[in-house]
Amino acid sequence: MTQPLIDIKGVTHAYQTQSGPLPVLDNLNVSVPEGGFAAVVGPSGCGKSTLTRLIAGLMKPDTGEVWLHGERVKGPRSTVGMAFQNPVLLEWRSILKNVLLPLEIVPTKLSKKEAEDRARHLLELVGLDGFEDKRPSELSGGMRQRASLCRALIHQPEVLILDEPFGALDAFTREDLWQIMHRVKEEEPFTGVLITHDLRESVFLADEVIVLSGRPATTQYRLKVPMDGPRDLEHLYTPETAEMLAILRHQIEIAQGRAPAESSEVAE
Amino acid sequence: MFQKIAVPVAAIVIFLIFWEALVWINGWPNYKMASPSDLWPAFWKFRDLFFTMGWDTLWRTVVGLGLAVVVGVGIGMIMGFSRLMRDALYPLLVGFNAIPKATVVPIVALMFVGAHDFNTVLIAFMISFFPIAVSVSIGLSTLEPEYRDILRSLGASRMTIFWKIALPKTLPEFFGALKVAVTLAFIGTNLMEIVSPHGRGLGALFDSGKTNADYPLMFAVLIALAFLGIVLYYVVVALEKIFAGWAERSPT
C-alpha cells in the first residue's frame, strides 16, 4: 500500500485547565489513504473536534505527529478545506462571494472569471443554482450548509475536514445532504475526514468508520465499509448495513463504558 | 414611505398644539413657560447668532465624535484581542466613565485655559468614546472561533482575519454604540459651552438667554439643539444603512 494521505501517528494531547491538565487524546493513530473517506465516531466530548483541529494545523499535539501527503503538519496549510456544524457564512456577502472567500487567501491560478465559474459550478452541483446573489440570511439551514460545503471545496483542497456538518439539520434535509455528498465526491474527488454522532451517516458516507474510546480518546475500533461508488438511500436499509450499525452501536456502548470491553480488532 | 414621513410629522404637530394649548389654558406668562408661537420670533430676532452658534456646536460635536470613534475603536481592538489588556483596562474605563463630566469641565477649562475649541472637543470626546470602546471590544471578543478557523486554517494572517471577518462582523454593534455616542457627544459639547462659555456655540446662546431672562430665546435654543441632535442621529442611521445594512433582516 502507498503511504496514506492523512497519517496521525501516536498523537497525545491534553488541554490545560484550571483543575490541571485534561487529557483528550491518548496515543491516537488514524490513517486515511488518498481518496479515502473516514468517519470518526465516539462519545461526546471525546476529542473528535480536537482531532480536526490537529489535522488542519490549527493546534499542535503535545506528542506524536500529524502528516499530510508526506509532509509533517506544523501549521495551517492551504490544502485543507473545512466545514463545521455552524455554517459560519459571512452575512454581509452574497452566497457566491462567500464561496469565493478562500480564494482571497489561498494563492490561485484561476482568473476572477474562472474562479466565479467554478463557484457557480459547485453551487449547481449542490443544488444552489439561482441563489448566487442571495444573502445567507435568506437561505434555510440546509442551504447554508450546502454553501459552506462549496466554500470548503472551492480551492480544490486535498483534504476535506467535516466537523459534524449535518448535525444541526432535520432528518430529511440531512439525508438530502448525504446524497449530495456522494455526488460531490464523484465530481470533486477529495480525501475526507468526517466527524459525526450519527452512525447511519458514518456508514452511508464513509469507507471506513473509526470508533474512538471515551476520553482520553484512542482508536478503539475500525470498520471497513464496502464502497463502490455513489449510493442511494436504499442502501441504509440493507441487512449488511443493519449488521454494521449493530457492530458500531455495540462499540459505542463499550466506549461509553456501558458494555464490557473486549479486545479490539479490525473488521474487514 | 408616506407613513414613514407623515406619521412623525403629524406627531410633532400634535405635540406642538398640545404645548401651545397648555400654556394658553393656564395663562402662563412667557417668563414661566414659553409657547411654540413665541419660538419663531425669538429665533428670527437672533437668526444670525443661531446659525454661527449652531455651526460652532455642530462642528465641535462632530470632531469630538470622530476622535471618539478613532480612540474608541483603538481601545476596543486592544481589549477585544487581548484578554490581559481587557482585564487591565476595563476597571479604568468604567471608573473614568462613571465620573460625571460636568465636574471635569472646570478642570479641563483650567488645564487648557483659553483653548476653548480644544476643550469643547475634548469633553465631547471624553463623554462619548466609552460605548464605542466597549461595543467594539465585545464584538471582537465574542467572535465565534469557527469564523476565525475557516480563514486561519488556510493560513490567513491575523490582520487578514480582522479585515475580512472581525471588522465587518462588529459593524452592527459599532453603529449601535455610535447612535448612543452621537447623542452623548452632543451633550458634552453643550456642557462645555454652558458651564464655561466663551461666547461660542448654542450653549453660550442659551446662557445669554438665561442672563437676560429671555425665556423664548432659551426655548428656541432647546428646539435648535433638538433639531441638530435629530440631524446628527439620522446621519448615523444613514451611515449604518450603507455599511451595515446587511444586518437588518427583511420583514419576510
Side-chain angles (χ1 to χ4, degrees), chain A residues 11-15 21-28 43-48 211-220 255:
Chain A
V11 162
T12 298
H13 191 79
Y15 286 108
L22 176 75
V24 282
L25 300 176
D26 179 27
N27 190 24
L28 181 70
S44 351
C46 78
K48 299 191 293 293
V211 181
L212 296 188
S213 66
R215 201 170 53 215
T218 188
T219 316
Q220 177 184 306

Side-chain angles (χ1 to χ4, degrees), chain A residues 37-39 194 201-209 225 227 231:
Chain A
F37 196 174
L194 168 74
E201 178 172 300
S202 70
V203 295
F204 186 73
L205 289 177
D207 49 26
E208 181 174 18
V209 181
V225 182
M227 176 78 73
R231 292 178 175 168

